Amino acid sequence: MTIKFKKNEPFVEGVSLLKITSKIETPFYIYSQKKIKDAYKKIKKDINAEVFYAIKANSNQAIISILKNLGAGADVVSLGELKRALTAGISPNKIIFEGVGKSEKDIKFAIKKKIRQINIESLNELELVNSLSKSLSIKTKIGIRINPDVDAQTLDKISTGRKTDKFGITYSQLPKVFKILKNINNVKLNGISCHIGSQIHDIKIFEKVFIKIKKAIKMFSNNDLKVNSLDLGGGFGVTYNKEKEINLSKISRLI
């Protein structure tokens, strides 16, 4: 968001901040609707795939509504975020539930709402979602989150794709996943997902991830399990200072 000054008076998108302060008590947050729309349209145009807004980035209800009206789905990591997405009018069929911190209460709510996909982070969670779905007499669509063991070369605290990180299922665990999937009846495999972290500026890192995901798809296929969709995460680096902006068109070609 760019603030421009006219005779020392700050303006955002042609609107005077001083006039806003005369009507709204300070302090307050102000966001650029144009910047949000432009960013979404660029991602949508360059990648040409479905886009799901990670509500953890900013759970402001107005921002979620703007993105919903543009056609975005929602990526949520808590019951609260799921409810915010539904309140904004996002269809359950366009909501993906991620994260290692899902409680039974969270999962039950998501199952009842018949959301698009619950991304499974562990073997225990896979069996729990099946058990809860059985108790509710519902067949739940799931995704398997893969840990590709790829270093995003970002800040250590926001890395999520290394084998030592707590997120996702490793390749060595996949044979157990295949066995469980073939012996349970209340979940339906919809796809696989992956997210290795944030603030990634090197496109070669995404290439490594996509090669690993291609390998995973073959493993599923060889076990008679069809992958209908890919949730390839995000993590595209934001240019705060002199960082090189990632080329989304090249990302699209890699996919």
Side-chain angles (χ1 to χ4, degrees), residues 36-45 51 67 70-72:
I36 294 168
K37 286 184 172 181
D38 288 349
Y40 174 84
K41 289 175 182 177
K42 178 174 175 54
I43 292 172
K44 186 70 178 174
K45 177 177 176 290
V51 178
L67 288 160
L70 288 169

Side-chain angles (χ1 to χ4, degrees), residues 24-42:
I24 300 174
E25 185 178 353
T26 60
F28 56 78
Y29 289 100
I30 184 166
Y31 303 102
S32 170
Q33 179 170 294
K34 184 178 184 301
K35 283 281 188 181
I36 294 168
K37 286 184 172 181
D38 288 349
Y40 174 84
K41 289 175 182 177
K42 178 174 175 54

Side-chain angles (χ1 to χ4, degrees), residues 202-211 214 232 246-255:
D202 187 353
I203 198 168
K204 291 180 181 177
I205 292 172
F206 288 105
E207 185 173 13
K208 288 180 182 178
V209 172
F210 298 160
I211 288 170
K214 186 175 180 181
L232 291 172
I246 203 148
N247 188 316
L248 295 177
S249 295
K250 286 185 177 180
I251 292 284
S252 181
R253 288 195 290 274
L254 278 179
I255 292 171

Side-chain angles (χ1 to χ4, degrees), residues 51-180:
V51 178
F52 295 79
Y53 174 58
I55 289 180
K56 64 175 175 277
N58 189 325
S59 61
N60 182 294
Q61 200 69 50
I63 290 176
I64 302 170
S65 295
I66 289 169
L67 288 160
K68 176 262 177 184
N69 290 335
L70 288 169
D75 176 292
V76 305
V77 296
S78 69
L79 177 59
E81 288 184 7
L82 175 50
K83 288 181 176 180
R84 280 182 171 271
L86 293 169
T87 299
I90 296 177
S91 167
N93 191 44
K94 297 189 75 172
I95 299 174
I96 295 172
F97 200 164
E98 305 259 18
V100 296
K102 308 181 198 80
S103 68
E104 285 195 20
K105 180 182 178 182
D106 297 346
I107 295 170
K108 277 186 177 180
F109 185 87
I111 291 170
K112 289 177 181 177
K113 291 297 179 181
K114 298 182 179 179
I115 66 169
R116 181 192 187 101
Q117 187 170 299
I118 297 176
N119 282 343
I120 303 297
E121 300 267 359
S122 67
L123 300 177
N124 287 341
E125 186 181 8
L126 176 56
E127 293 180 325
L128 176 61
V129 171
N130 181 70
S131 175
L132 293 175
S133 298
K134 185 177 181 180
S135 70
L136 296 167
S137 300
I138 296 172
K139 194 160 190 172
T140 302
K141 290 182 181 179
I142 63 165
I144 301 296
R145 179 169 177 172
I146 303 293
N147 182 317
D149 194 20
V150 172
D151 189 345
Q153 295 176 26
T154 183
L155 294 174
D156 187 63
K157 298 292 186 183
I158 56 174
S159 175
T160 60
R162 299 170 301 189
K163 196 173 183 178
T164 51
D165 293 328
K166 63 185 177 182
F167 301 91
I169 290 171
T170 63
Y171 284 82
S172 63
Q173 293 176 307
L174 284 178
K176 291 182 180 178
V177 169
F178 302 149
K179 186 177 180 181
I180 293 171

Side-chain angles (χ1 to χ4, degrees), residues 123 126 171 173-183 189 216 218-223 225:
L123 300 177
L126 176 56
Y171 284 82
Q173 293 176 307
L174 284 178
K176 291 182 180 178
V177 169
F178 302 149
K179 186 177 180 181
I180 293 171
L181 285 173
K182 290 177 181 179
N183 286 283
L189 177 68
K218 288 182 178 179
M219 290 176 70
F220 276 81
S221 179
N222 290 339
N223 282 272
L225 293 165

